[in-house]
Amino acid sequence: MTPIESLLELFGNFTFRTMILSTGIIGAVSGLLGSLLYLRRQTMISDVIGHSAIGGVALGFITCTALLGIDGRSVLTLTISAAITTAVAVLLTNVITRFSRLGSDAAMAVTLAVFFGGGLVLLRWIGHSKLPNRAGIEKYVFGNAATLTGEDLTTIAIIGVLAVAVVVVLFKELMLSAFDPVLAATMGFSPRILQPILLVTVTTGIVIGIKAVGLILMIGFVMLPAAAARQWARRLHTMTLFSAVIGGLSGMVGSILAVHLGRVPTGPIIIVVLFAAFLVSLLASPQRSVLSTWLARRRHRLAGEVAA
Amino acid sequence: MTLLAALALLSVVTAVTCSLPGVFLVVRRQSMLVEAMSHAVFPGIVIGALVSGSTRSPLMIVLATVLGLVIVVGADKARQSGLVTADASQGLIYPVLFAIGVALLSTQLSSVHISENAVLAGELNLLALPTERWIIGTTDLGPQAMWPLLLLLVIDALFITLTYRVLVVSAFDPNLARTMGLPTRTVNMALMVLVSLTVVVAFNTVGAILVVALMIVPPATGRLVTNRMGWLIFVSLAIASVTALLGLWVAYLGDLATAPMMAFTDGVVFLIVLLVTRLVASRRRALPA
């Protein structure tokens, strides 16, 4: 069987198709949002979002199963509770930075202590409790794309499209406020409206990956495509587009590789693929890279020697 | 020694050993470096455990510590290349190292005894069990896992005593430190080695991810109440001990996970202290002079 045939066969299988499509969408959406965070120099906040989401998963599960009596393991309920919790986590980080003499770095560590530490305490409690459907809830920390259902894929696709729509509609405003927040405010794009929209979009867009790729490695999904795309693009809209494409392709390639290798979780393999893409971009992109700088220097030196 | 006494000893020693180097990271505003390092050392721990068959071998500690330093050196190189933004340089390297660690762990699960749970939350409770004690003759010297941490605490304390002036000046005014001709580069690198070593040694008790909370939050809380470096160290260690005992006590009563509860307590205590200091400050402002 040729590689293409085996790939087609893989795609014909429902589980694998769900996996590959989901990781592709997750990769593309986090790549898209990552380019906005990357330019705002707010990259470590995606680490806080990823880790704090575990508190949201635990709280959401308890609310759904104990209070509302519904299955707390679907992507929709997980995404809603994680997005709310991580938005609170980001706000808490900002509040600490504003009201103390500590840097945002220490504020992030405090947020992690509260939300990640608290989340782990709750997860362990759920594990010992008698709540229904509790089996497997702890797996969301590392993620497992093979557990995704068709319904989960629909949720991921809808939320993904919504996140893309927000970024496309507000692109000009978001770009301006990333490069020059003061100008954006004077032009009438109120940060009071823009910031919450960006916050909700970013947290929701990042946490849809929970079930498929886990929480811990989210920062890689957000940053690696953006940093790779930056090497190939000179303008923000091309960078954002490249970042989404690199993220989406790496997501799909990574999950195909994970299926072929067997026994390995999907998230980490996608991260390795994304890192490879980043490394190639850093070393060898035509306009700005380690290789192009070296060649330019060499040309200059040779030109100098010829002139002498 | 009762189980509770062993648990209390191990928790307090872990918390204190972590927060001592954390003091300097907080004042240098490099807290998230711990987060990057604690993820980066993970493949070193897995490979070291694969090769040596234990998570306590010296080989594993050396290998993992070196990987932690890859973050420091790699981030410097990436920044110098001018191709990635400064805050991104750490965050680009550690996800892939952690990913390699997780992938290795999942394929070699049968030969390495590191559970996913241990990676997330450590095994503080297991390490305090009577079978994990260091017993000489009939004397019970407490949990074995406590002694490497104590040794590291002594090394940290010696290092800080010897280089105190350089550490303090370079934390608050790096330019002044260089002008004064102080060996800032060497001392900074040595501090980074100790931070990486702390992350690795603390892995067995608290896992790979909670360590950032234990290292940074007690000094951050201390920073809310004092401006003086000597006091800050003292207050941070005191807060670390108290929150460790408090966290352990709550976890023990409620049958909850110990290390995550310690981290959570650290965070809650920080928020309470922040609230109180802000209230006191605004009260003072409101009173007529």
Side-chain angles (χ1 to χ4, degrees), chain A residues 37 40-46 48-49 52 85-112 115 191 194-200 202-203, chain B residues 29 270-271 274 278:
Chain A
L37 291 177
R40 286 171 174 259
R41 311 199 164 206
Q42 289 179 334
T43 47
M44 283 313 271
I45 203 74
S46 55
V48 175
I49 293 173
S52 300
T85 315
T86 51
V88 173
V90 174
L91 290 176
L92 180 69
T93 310
N94 294 343
V95 166
I96 295 171
T97 315
R98 191 162 156 220
F99 290 107
S100 73
R101 59 184 143 218
L102 293 160
S104 59
D105 59 317
M108 288 182 193
V110 173
T111 308
L112 283 179
F115 287 87
L194 218 50
Q195 288 295 350
I197 294 178
L198 184 68
L199 178 66
V200 171
V202 166
T203 51
Chain B
R29 305 202 160 199
F270 175 92
L271 294 177
L274 179 63
R278 292 297 301 182

Side-chain angles (χ1 to χ4, degrees), chain A residues 41 43 47 101 105 288, chain B residues 29 31 35 83 87 94:
Chain A
R41 311 199 164 206
T43 47
D47 188 74
R101 59 184 143 218
D105 59 317
R288 35 175 277 152
Chain B
R29 305 202 160 199
S31 310
E35 175 74 355
L83 296 172
D87 74 317
Y94 78 79

Side-chain angles (χ1 to χ4, degrees), chain B:
Chain B
M1 192 181 286
T2 62
L3 180 64
L4 195 56
L7 272 172
L9 261 179
L10 191 55
S11 316
V12 171
V13 169
T14 308
V16 168
T17 307
C18 285
S19 60
L20 184 56
V23 173
F24 293 93
L25 295 170
V26 169
V27 292
R28 292 153 64 114
R29 305 202 160 199
Q30 288 184 319
S31 310
M32 289 307 271
L33 192 63
V34 179
E35 175 74 355
M37 273 188 177
S38 69
H39 287 69
V41 300
F42 184 54
I45 289 171
V46 178
I47 295 170
L50 264 180
V51 175
S52 66
S54 127
T55 50
R56 282 172 224 170
S57 77
L59 173 82
M60 180 220 90
I61 292 176
V62 172
L63 199 65
T65 306
V66 169
L67 275 176
L69 295 172
V70 165
I71 290 293
V72 179
V73 178
D76 262 358
K77 286 264 178 286
R79 205 172 16 237
Q80 279 162 17
S81 78
L83 296 172
V84 291
T85 62
D87 74 317
S89 43
Q90 294 166 10
L92 290 167
I93 309 168
Y94 78 79
V96 72
L97 289 173
F98 191 75
I100 292 170
V102 175
L104 274 176
L105 190 63
S106 59
T107 49
Q108 308 288 339
L109 210 54
S110 49
S111 49
V112 194
H113 300 287
I114 308 174
S115 69
E116 284 184 358
N117 226 336
V119 178
L120 291 177
E123 293 182 316
L124 207 144
N125 290 1
L126 294 181
L127 292 171
L129 289 177
T131 49
E132 301 289 327
R133 300 285 166 74
W134 189 20
I135 295 169
I136 296 179
T138 51
T139 332
D140 185 349
L141 291 173
Q144 284 171 20
M146 183 182 82
W147 290 95
L149 285 160
L150 270 182
L151 180 66
L152 185 60
L153 183 65
V154 172
I155 296 173
D156 278 342
L158 277 177
F159 170 75
I160 290 169
T161 318
L162 290 175
T163 60
Y164 190 66
R165 213 165 71 100
V166 188
L167 280 173
V168 174
V169 179
S170 68
F172 290 103
D173 196 339
N175 288 328
L176 177 67
R178 269 193 296 275
T179 328
M180 286 166 71
L182 297 173
T184 45
R185 273 183 68 94
T186 321
V187 171
N188 285 349
M189 204 56 206
L191 178 67
M192 291 304 140
V193 173
L194 288 176
V195 171
S196 189
L197 202 56
T198 309
V199 167
V200 174
V201 176
F203 176 82
N204 282 329
T205 41
V206 297
I209 298 155
L210 291 167
V211 69
V212 64
L214 296 180
M215 280 181 93
I216 300 303
V217 182
T221 314
R223 193 76 184 84
L224 296 175
V225 293
T226 177
N227 272 329
R228 301 192 34 197
M229 199 62 200
W231 264 113
L232 179 59
I233 295 177
F234 177 76
V235 172
S236 304
L237 299 188
I239 293 172
S241 320
V242 172
T243 50
L245 287 176
L246 197 62
L248 172 66
W249 185 57
V250 175
Y252 192 81
L253 289 183
D255 191 19
L256 301 165
T258 311
M261 200 64 219
M262 282 163 63
F264 182 68
T265 313
D266 272 328
V268 172
V269 167
F270 175 92
L271 294 177
I272 293 171
V273 173
L274 179 63
L275 194 68
V276 170
T277 49
R278 292 297 301 182
L279 283 178
V280 169
S282 62
R283 251 271 168 80
R284 249 184 227 153
R285 264 201 303 275
L287 286 174

Side-chain angles (χ1 to χ4, degrees), chain A residues 2-17:
Chain A
T2 65
I4 295 190
E5 273 173 322
S6 73
L7 208 61
L8 282 177
E9 192 191 302
L10 201 63
F11 213 72
N13 179 308
F14 174 77
T15 313
F16 293 147
R17 194 170 60 223

